[in-house]
Amino acid sequence: MDLFETIHGHRSIRRYKPDPVGEELLTELLEAGVRASSSGNMQTYSIIVSRDRAMRERLFVPHMEQNMVLEAPVLLTFCADFRRMRKWLRINHAPDNFDDFFAFLVAAVDAILVSQNVALAAEARGLGICYMGSTLANADQVGEILELPEGVMPVVGFSLGWPAEDPTPRDRLPLTGLVHAETYQDHSDDEIRRIYRDRDQAGWDRYMSIPRLRELIEEHDVENLAQIYTVVKYTREGHANYTKNVLDYLKRQGFFKG
Ligand SMILES: Cc1cc2nc3c(=O)[nH]c(=O)nc-3n(C[C@H](O)[C@H](O)[C@H](O)COP(=O)(O)O)c2cc1C
């Protein structure tokens, strides 16, 4: 498939056929993944492949009981990983400057670039993927199940398998709201309304068409899409908990000396 066709054909896939993803095919995707640019070519990431059903049943819990964890034959977790690099430094008597938060960011960027390369490679082969924010939000629990040692931190993850659904592509905000020429052009309220106009309607209609979400929306008495986002989906309390989780775990994983 042409690369642009693959990119524009993307839809997150949450329902999967039980058919396995062959080892050879998965290796092909991972080989494509690690061709991503990498800071200093240090490749400070690791990819954990979860195929085992019992393992996915354990991961189902921190992944907020999303069915795709059980349905998809493969789950990939992309981790920021300075452990391997730091071992290499140690055996070569090189100083280790990578036990800080900046190291985590460098490694996280690398991990995310690899993940998106794997995602596109998978989609080019007809597979489907869906990222799961729970990888980071519940990084501590995911990390414990995957037995991640110090220096390794889950950042992003997705389900991978053969699609059993064919969802309509979701909208994107217009480029005019996303791209700035030379310097940042802050938006007026009117511009914000224009940028979000189609999203406001499409998003509201989408949430209201899903009975479980409609019920939740009516329960919370919200009246527009923006309110759905921060009253129902991403609450202050939720964010505060996830922030604490992530910061505590980063410290435990040795990314926070500074
Ligand atoms: C970092 C990240 C985390 C996500 N987490 C979830 C998730 O936990 N559950 C889910 O169903 N979709 C998740 N998604 C998928 C988004 O909802 C989806 O990409 C977005 O709605 C746009 O839809 P599309 O991917 O079909 O174009 C996540 C996407 C990203 C990039």
Side-chain angles (χ1 to χ4, degrees), residues 77-80 104 135-136 139-140 142-143 146 148 152-156 249:
T77 308
F78 298 85
C79 305
F104 167 68
T135 311
L136 187 60
D140 52 341
V142 171
L146 299 179
L148 303 184
V152 188
M153 172 87 184
V155 182
V156 287
Y249 193 51

Side-chain angles (χ1 to χ4, degrees), residues 58 63 75 89 102-103 127 129 140 145 168 171 176 180 182-183 188 206 228 243 251:
R58 290 179 67 196
H63 281 304
L75 205 74
L89 292 173
F102 188 65
L127 288 151
I129 66 106
D140 52 341
I145 294 168
T168 321
D171 70 294
T176 47
H180 303 256
E182 312 303 343
T183 56
S188 68
R206 179 170 176 273
I228 293 178
T243 298
K251 277 179 206 154

Side-chain angles (χ1 to χ4, degrees), residues 10-12 14 66 68 130-134 156 170 172:
H10 163 77
R11 299 102 77 243
S12 291
R14 299 175 176 87
Q66 302 192 76
M68 56 182 150
C130 184
Y131 279 94
M132 286 180 295
S134 37
V156 287
R170 286 195 65 183
R172 291 295 188 264

Side-chain angles (χ1 to χ4, degrees), residues 99-113:
D99 52 357
D100 60 7
F101 184 60
F102 188 65
F104 167 68
L105 290 179
V106 167
V109 169
D110 264 24
I112 294 166
L113 294 179

Side-chain angles (χ1 to χ4, degrees), residues 19-180:
D19 312 6
V21 174
E23 200 60 51
E24 226 174 89
L25 174 56
L26 183 61
T27 302
E28 186 194 18
L29 306 181
L30 296 173
E31 293 281 11
V34 303
R35 292 308 306 163
S37 297
S38 159
S39 188
N41 209 14
M42 293 187 288
Q43 294 187 264
T44 48
Y45 51 79
S46 284
I47 307 160
I48 317 285
V49 179
S50 307
R51 287 182 179 277
D52 181 58
R53 170 82 193 187
M55 204 60 166
R56 286 184 291 116
E57 277 172 12
R58 290 179 67 196
L59 289 165
F60 180 63
V61 179
H63 281 304
M64 303 175 184
E65 307 196 345
Q66 302 192 76
N67 272 334
M68 56 182 150
V69 175
L70 303 178
E71 246 186 46
V74 180
L75 205 74
L76 295 180
T77 308
F78 298 85
C79 305
D81 180 355
F82 254 108
R83 186 178 184 86
R84 188 189 55 241
M85 172 88 187
R86 290 172 66 185
K87 283 189 174 184
W88 181 62
L89 292 173
R90 182 174 47 74
I91 63 175
N92 285 286
H93 313 290
D96 173 359
N97 314 319
F98 295 131
D99 52 357
D100 60 7
F101 184 60
F102 188 65
F104 167 68
L105 290 179
V106 167
V109 169
D110 264 24
I112 294 166
L113 294 179
V114 172
S115 78
Q116 187 55 17
N117 252 23
V118 175
L120 285 177
E123 291 175 338
R125 289 283 181 259
L127 288 151
I129 66 106
C130 184
Y131 279 94
M132 286 180 295
S134 37
T135 311
L136 187 60
N138 291 324
D140 52 341
Q141 295 168 53
V142 171
E144 200 171 303
I145 294 168
L146 299 179
E147 300 180 15
L148 303 184
E150 197 183 314
V152 188
M153 172 87 184
V155 182
V156 287
F158 54 68
S159 51
L160 173 73
W162 300 103
E165 62 171 350
D166 185 16
T168 321
R170 286 195 65 183
D171 70 294
R172 291 295 188 264
L173 296 175
L175 276 192
T176 47
L178 304 170
V179 181
H180 303 256

